[in-house]
Amino acid sequence: QPARDSTVNIQASEWPKFVMKEHFLEAGKLPAMITGFGPPRKCVFDREEVTKIAFDEPEGHLSHLFKGRLWRIHIGEWIEECVVSDVSV
């Protein structure tokens, strides 16, 4: 039996300098910050793609798996692997 893999492979783009998060939200994008090891890195996701992953339960609550999955974020040639630790609206 193969092991279950809940890794999320997702495309993102770099968050350009001097652009506020409100700009991305109005454009249907979802800004994010990756922290932990090394300098903080900012990226921007497609909101619809993240919403499908985050709200996979019929009641519309944030999925329990959202924070438990390994996220493999592809930004150009840079790949970041992380786990969601904080979600804010």
Side-chain angles (χ1 to χ4, degrees):
Q1 217 177 29
R4 295 182 70 177
D5 184 13
S6 62
T7 302
V8 175
N9 283 288
I10 190 166
Q11 296 290 325
S13 57
E14 284 191 61
W15 182 335
K17 291 183 180 182
F18 311 113
V19 179
M20 296 175 57
K21 68 178 181 180
E22 290 78 15
H23 171 79
F24 298 118
L25 295 172
E26 290 173 4
K29 303 294 181 185
L30 188 64
M33 184 179 301
I34 301 169
T35 60
F37 300 103
R41 297 184 182 184
K42 294 181 175 183
C43 61
V44 183
F45 297 103
D46 179 65
R47 185 186 305 176
E48 286 185 27
E49 191 172 357
V50 173
T51 301
K52 288 177 190 174
I53 298 165
F55 298 98
D56 62 356
E57 297 175 354
E59 296 86 32
H61 298 287
L62 186 65
S63 169
H64 293 291
L65 283 175
F66 188 70
K67 287 188 171 184
R69 291 179 171 158
L70 175 68
W71 288 70
R72 188 171 295 126
I73 304 166
H74 300 263
I75 304 172
E77 294 184 20
W78 156 44
I79 298 175
E80 187 77 46
E81 291 186 338
C82 56
V83 175
V84 175
S85 63
D86 184 42
V87 177
S88 60
V89 179

